[in-house]
Amino acid sequence: DSGNASSLNRLMDSGDLEKERGITITSKVTRCHYTSDGTNTTRTINVVDTPGHADFSGEVDRILSLVDGVVLVVDVGEGPMAQTKYVLRRALARGLTPIVVLNKCDRAIAHVESGECEGGVLDLFDALGADDGQMEYPTLWASAKSGWCTNDVDTAVGIVKGTVEGSETGGMTSLLDCIVEYIPPPSVEEGNGGFSMAVTGVGYDQYLGRLCTGRIHSGTISLADSVTYLSRDTDDDTSSTKQTKPKDAIESITGIFVNRGVERTPLDIPASAGDIVTLSGIPPSIKVGDTLTSTTNPRSHALPTPPL
């Protein structure tokens, strides 16, 4: 994300200071369901926004561990910004699949026609060490403010000049179709059917108690399931049965939540591998970087997580 005031950023940058300065300070996650016209298959797309400054390096790495690909949004008139370069470097280093969206085309048609921004983004990918597959990223042109996106530069120019109707692009379907086509589905660990989730964030609710958020790595989780946790500080050769845990280390899940927009809503079906969820009814002593796991079929080792 380059700091654009796109529709998604306006939705997710919901804090007062974020709205005032037009930046992302704390990470947000939401999800949407998308049915492609071509396949008539409904898919769940998890969307995560992350701070872009190097001062938030720990959180950036933790958030990137939640996703399988990145959508790099660049202001076509300004080109890649400093925070764009930092997050992109970290994403490429993790081997994530990139998609590039050149936004605000309606405000910088000369830059769209010249291809100057495209060339700058390509050079940036090369300078940051993108591999051959990452260098083959798809590019889309968009105006989030006007509600259109296209994978064809001539169509983008036509929309801005008024020779093509923006409604002909189908809104943001080009972007959603591109995400479905290029971003790989979540990988699921084979050989371990038990629930496990690396904790990327913790919080507190006055009614629900301690909360934790993360992406489910394996298995499923339902209400009333019994869970415990593995500390990120556990040595690789230390099994869960030998760990010394506080008395509160085993709890039963009392709530499973997902975000729709910026509102946290209960999930009425079991959550499974690939879902990004917030859980209540967790051990109070759990920390960021720990691994939440089932007590009936637990992991033997904590999941690897980025340094804090």
Side-chain angles (χ1 to χ4, degrees), residues 177-291:
D177 286 336
C178 190
I179 291 172
V180 170
E181 179 179 355
Y182 284 92
I183 304 299
S187 58
V188 179
E189 183 179 283
E190 299 293 339
N192 179 31
F195 164 77
S196 63
M197 183 184 88
V199 177
T200 56
V202 295
Y204 183 81
D205 182 277
Q206 61 177 330
Y207 301 108
L208 300 171
R210 193 163 178 81
L211 307 171
C212 72
T213 299
R215 168 174 159 170
I216 299 177
H217 186 76
S218 62
T220 62
I221 189 72
S222 302
L223 292 177
D225 281 356
S226 178
V227 294
T228 186
Y229 72 94
L230 305 171
S231 171
R232 65 171 287 124
D233 301 322
T234 303
D235 292 332
D236 288 342
D237 59 353
T238 303
S239 70
S240 61
T241 57
K242 296 180 180 179
Q243 287 191 83
T244 301
K245 299 191 184 75
K247 293 180 180 179
D248 63 8
I250 297 178
E251 295 285 346
S252 294
I253 296 298
T254 58
I256 305 172
F257 304 92
V258 296
N259 278 24
R260 293 187 172 92
V262 293
E263 298 296 326
R264 188 171 62 219
T265 60
L267 189 64
D268 53 8
I269 59 174
S272 57
D275 283 331
I276 300 176
V277 296
T278 296
L279 303 175
S280 62
I282 59 171
S285 52
I286 198 169
K287 304 183 298 295
V288 170
D290 291 346
T291 297

Side-chain angles (χ1 to χ4, degrees), residues 145-159:
K145 182 178 180 180
S146 300
W148 59 264
C149 181
T150 177
N151 57 10
D152 181 73
V153 63
D154 293 330
T155 300
V157 171
I159 293 172

Side-chain angles (χ1 to χ4, degrees), residues 94-124:
R94 293 189 64 87
L96 299 178
T97 301
I99 294 172
V100 172
V101 177
L102 304 181
N103 192 31
K104 300 185 181 179
C105 291
D106 53 327
R107 296 173 54 181
I109 187 60
H111 292 273
V112 176
E113 293 181 300
S114 69
E116 179 182 350
C117 186
E118 288 179 76
V121 172
L122 183 64
D123 291 342
L124 177 61

Side-chain angles (χ1 to χ4, degrees), residues 72-90:
L72 179 68
V73 184
V74 179
D75 185 324
V76 72
E78 297 183 0
M81 300 174 70
Q83 60 263 39
T84 307
K85 299 172 185 177
Y86 175 74
V87 177
L88 180 59
R89 178 186 293 111
R90 303 304 300 166

Side-chain angles (χ1 to χ4, degrees), residues 13-76:
D13 291 341
S14 53
D16 292 339
L17 187 58
E18 292 175 320
K19 292 177 181 178
E20 177 185 340
R21 300 182 61 185
I23 59 174
T24 302
I25 297 175
T26 58
S27 174
K28 314 291 192 308
V29 59
T30 191
R31 63 191 260 159
C32 62
H33 299 292
Y34 176 60
T35 302
S36 173
D37 291 337
T39 64
N40 201 32
T41 300
T42 300
R43 293 177 172 87
T44 298
I45 300 176
N46 291 299
V47 183
V48 183
D49 195 15
T50 179
H53 198 278
D55 289 347
F56 300 99
S57 58
E59 181 167 7
V60 169
D61 287 341
R62 287 196 301 277
I63 298 310
L64 288 177
S65 71
L66 291 173
V67 300
D68 300 286
V70 291
V71 177
L72 179 68
V73 184
V74 179
D75 185 324
V76 72

